Amino acid sequence: MTALVWLRQDLRLEDQPALVAAAAAGAVIPVYVLDDEAPGDWRIGSAQRWWLHHSLAALDKSLRKHGSRLILRRGPVVAALRTIVDETGADAIHAIRHYEPWWRAAEDELGDRLTLHDGNHLRPMREITTGAGAPFKVFSSFWKALSATLPPEEPLAAPREIPAPEKWPASDKLDDWHLLPTKPNWAGGFDIWTPGEAGVAAALEAFADVGADYEHQRNMPSVEGTSRFSPHLHHGEVSPRQVWHALSERGVRDAAFDRELAWRDFTSGVVLAMPRYADENGRPRFDRLPWRRAPDDLEAWQRGRTGYPIVDAGMRQLWATGWMHNRVRMIAASFLVKHLLIDWREGERWFWDTLVDADYGNNSVNWQWISGTGVDSNMFGRIMAPLVQSEKFAAADYIRQWVPELRKLSDEAIHDPETAGCRPASYPPKIIGHREARERALAAGREVR
């Protein structure tokens, strides 16, 4: 008996039910297929590709310690898997279930050859549904239903042995995929990350030191108070239930963090129910909203040149490191949609390309939440004031780190140097005033109503 283990966003040996099932039955051929055709507009973004390169290398190294290896192929995923089955005479394909629309289509096309396992959520998605058996579209209801099933099951240990086939199929060379960045002045700070399961272990240990004060510190961008698990979770180097139990073992249990972990599961349910959620407003009436086509404003936002220091710091952090502090993500996203009145999909796609943790469900649901266009979202008329947010969450040192033009300004002046009368010539004026932007956004919202 020989089985393929089809790997996607589940690049780990621990708590890997597809791998455990295949190894228990016979020889195993772990396979990763880089398919840039099936997702269409949602091909893997540039920052994710950097992470993917290092994560695949780390996984192959781990597999080789177990007498196995990772087979790489590129092209349409269903055709690639069928080719490997024909080459090896494999009897089955095992995989962890995914909820992105292109993965669901591929799973359906593979049919009876494919055995699917649950493993990327706190609980199997089919168990957390409404009374009608449908995925939840409101988080509070989802959280209530999920909470009744927690804690999650204990994670599975990695297989002690991963039986090898008599003959390995051919594999692409990872370097030939050219996943690493070529854009100038980009990704200079990606060295803060350690992709792979070793990086997960380090992140868990680091978070254990701050987790007790997570609810307060998570909103302070100048403080290292967040978990930074998101890219590891997105690429499946760790499962949510592994995170849950690992933190419990370390005495770190925080209600705010638990809800954020559950939010990732919730967003999978939203895109399961509404596969085009990343492209279409969750509330169709917002199709009438008069978005502005303003390429210069969009570029100023992307490059961190809006004249609002907290927004610019976040966008520059994103460009350099592939990640942005969660509180600042909300501020920056709200600024694009409400202050600049630019379609949320423009921001969503920028994040998709530049975030190492860009997740189809999480990214789309978060953008629609801040935009007010989603099925469970903030009100469109609720407009975050970036200058107030910057002062409230003590972002002065964060701004100094990412906007060096303002480094010498005082804590009082740095949030709004233009009003304070000390804006350096090297730093741009505000792209639009807060009051003017707010009135324009509210007028646009009235058109929708």
Side-chain angles (χ1 to χ4, degrees):
M1 181 85 174
T2 299
L4 307 187
V5 174
W6 174 27
L7 298 162
R8 290 172 284 178
Q9 289 157 220
D10 40 40
L11 304 177
R12 62 183 183 271
L13 301 188
E14 298 284 342
D15 201 27
Q16 227 305 354
L19 178 61
V20 169
V28 177
I29 303 175
V31 177
Y32 183 91
V33 180
L34 180 63
D35 184 353
D36 282 333
E37 298 178 22
D41 289 344
W42 300 106
R43 69 192 292 270
I44 299 173
S46 300
Q48 293 176 71
R49 287 171 184 265
W50 176 91
W51 193 286
L52 179 63
H53 175 96
H54 294 290
S55 188
L56 291 175
L59 181 61
D60 182 60
K61 184 177 180 180
S62 295
L63 285 167
R64 289 179 183 272
K65 291 179 181 178
H66 286 74
S68 185
R69 67 183 66 172
L70 182 60
I71 300 301
L72 304 177
R73 294 288 176 94
R74 189 171 193 169
V77 65
V78 173
L81 291 171
R82 286 174 174 167
T83 296
I84 298 175
V85 167
D86 292 341
E87 292 172 355
T88 62
D91 305 284
I93 304 172
H94 289 267
I96 291 180
R97 186 176 278 106
H98 284 60
Y99 294 95
E100 292 83 355
W102 56 88
W103 291 136
R104 291 175 58 213
E107 290 167 1
D108 289 344
E109 194 173 346
L110 287 167
D112 293 341
R113 288 185 173 184
L114 179 64
T115 300
L116 289 169
H117 305 264
D118 294 297
N120 275 1
H121 298 84
L122 289 166
R123 298 294 300 177
M125 295 300 297
R126 65 180 180 276
E127 295 181 7
I128 312 299
T129 59
T130 66
F136 284 98
K137 295 181 183 178
V138 176
F139 177 71
S140 58
S141 300
F142 172 83
W143 174 240
K144 182 178 180 180
L146 177 64
S147 295
T149 71
L150 297 175
E153 294 180 355
E154 291 283 342
L156 299 171
R160 291 184 179 181
E161 297 182 14
I162 304 177
E166 292 185 5
K167 183 179 179 181
W168 287 100
S171 174
D172 291 354
K173 292 182 179 179
L174 182 57
D175 287 343
D176 290 344
W177 284 2
H178 302 294
L179 298 173
L180 297 177
T182 57
K183 295 179 182 179
N185 304 318
W186 180 65
F190 278 29
D191 57 0
I192 66 171
W193 303 109
T194 304
E197 289 181 279
V200 171
L204 284 167
E205 290 303 322
F207 185 57
D209 293 335
V210 299
D213 197 26
Y214 176 75
E215 188 162 9
H216 169 68
Q217 294 196 34
R218 65 178 174 147
N219 282 311
M220 313 299 285
S222 294
V223 175
E224 291 293 335
T226 62
S227 71
R228 302 208 179 196
F229 293 154
S230 54
H232 298 290
L233 284 163
H234 169 68
H235 292 274
E237 298 168 347
V238 66
S239 72
R241 62 187 184 184
Q242 278 181 282
V243 171
W244 181 287
H245 286 289
L247 294 179
S248 293
E249 291 168 4
R250 291 164 172 79
V252 180
R253 186 86 276 132
D254 183 276
F257 181 81
D258 292 347
R259 286 172 64 90
E260 291 181 358
L261 199 57
W263 178 265
R264 301 183 65 84
D265 285 16
F266 168 69
T267 64
S268 292
V270 172
V271 298
L272 175 61
M274 307 174 71
R276 289 189 54 77
Y277 201 75
D279 298 287
E280 299 175 355
N281 292 315
R283 299 180 185 182
R285 71 173 183 270
F286 279 92
D287 293 347
R288 302 194 300 271
L289 198 144
W291 300 113
R292 297 172 61 239
R293 291 188 61 83
D296 290 344
D297 288 358
L298 175 62
E299 184 177 6
W301 176 80
Q302 291 171 339
R303 303 303 178 190
R305 301 284 295 171
T306 68
Y308 284 79
I310 186 64
V311 174
D312 295 340
M315 298 307 295
R316 296 186 195 187
Q317 180 186 31
L318 172 62
W319 184 252
T321 70
W323 185 85
M324 192 194 309
H325 187 277
N326 183 59
R327 169 59 57 175
V328 186
R329 290 191 200 198
M330 291 192 289
I331 297 168
S334 177
F335 186 89
L336 179 76
V337 175
K338 309 292 177 65
H339 281 67
L340 300 183
L341 206 61
I342 291 175
D343 195 322
W344 60 269
R345 283 159 284 217
E346 295 281 4
E348 177 197 37
R349 280 156 173 76
W350 183 253
F351 275 23
W352 180 262
D353 194 44
T354 54
L355 279 170
V356 291
D357 62 8
D359 182 88
Y360 183 79
N362 213 29
N363 195 39
S364 60
V365 174
N366 288 349
W367 270 98
Q368 293 227 47
W369 185 88
I370 202 71
S371 302
T373 60
V375 290
D376 181 18
S377 64
N378 205 353
M379 294 171 54
F380 182 81
R382 186 168 294 169
I383 300 169
M384 298 181 81
L387 304 177
V388 172
Q389 290 279 314
S390 185
E391 292 180 0
K392 180 179 180 180
F393 295 108
D397 287 341
Y398 177 76
I399 293 169
R400 290 190 182 96
Q401 180 180 1
W402 295 109
V403 188
E405 307 97 296
L406 307 180
R407 190 168 290 164
K408 295 182 180 180
L409 300 187
S410 68
D411 285 1
E412 292 74 22
I414 199 169
H415 305 288
D416 188 1
E418 187 171 325
T419 299
C422 55
R423 177 181 64 83
S426 58
Y427 186 67
K430 293 174 187 171
I431 198 169
I432 187 172
H434 174 65
R435 181 175 295 180
E436 176 189 352
R438 185 175 185 277
E439 291 174 354
R440 182 173 67 183
L442 292 175
R446 287 193 289 271
E447 292 192 33
V448 171
R449 293 197 300 273

